[in-house]
Structures are given as C-alpha cells and as structure tokens.
Amino acid sequence: MNEATTTKKNAPPRVPITAFISEDTRDALLRIAAERDLSLSSIIRVACSEYAKKNTEN
C-alpha cells in the first residue's frame, strides 16, 4: 500500500464520505494505521485511491 505523502498545503480538494464497515474491518484498519503511524483517514484514502485506479485502468 502506498503511504500518504501529501500535506494540507498541497492536498487535492477532498469531499467527505460515509461508509458502514464491520467492526472486524475497522479494527484491522486501525491496527494497520497504528503500525504505520498513520491516521485511519489516511489508510482509507490510500485504499480508495488504489481501488479506483485499479478499476478504471483499461
């Protein structure tokens, strides 16, 4: 997984999203975030970006 490397100054415009996930998934994501010293939001942004890129390439 790529690591978040943007700062607030150079971050692209963002919009809020809401998603319901299982507690197990949330707990796994929180562990991953803690291991990498990242926020849960950073982990979710990277995961969503990678998913979108993977599914829009021809």
Side-chain angles (χ1 to χ4, degrees):
M1 184 179 285
N2 295 335
E3 294 201 20
T5 58
T6 59
T7 63
K8 286 185 179 184
K9 272 190 165 183
N10 66 359
R14 296 182 176 149
V15 296
I17 62 166
T18 301
F20 291 96
I21 59 175
S22 71
E23 288 183 21
D24 291 341
T25 300
R26 181 204 57 201
D27 293 344
L29 293 173
L30 286 171
R31 278 192 299 276
I32 294 165
E35 289 170 2
R36 297 190 169 123
D37 196 29
L38 296 170
S39 68
L40 180 59
S41 290
S42 293
I43 295 289
I44 292 170
R45 276 193 298 274
V46 170
C48 289
S49 295
E50 287 182 5
Y51 184 87
K53 182 179 178 184
K54 177 182 174 184
N55 286 282
T56 56
E57 293 176 345
N58 292 329

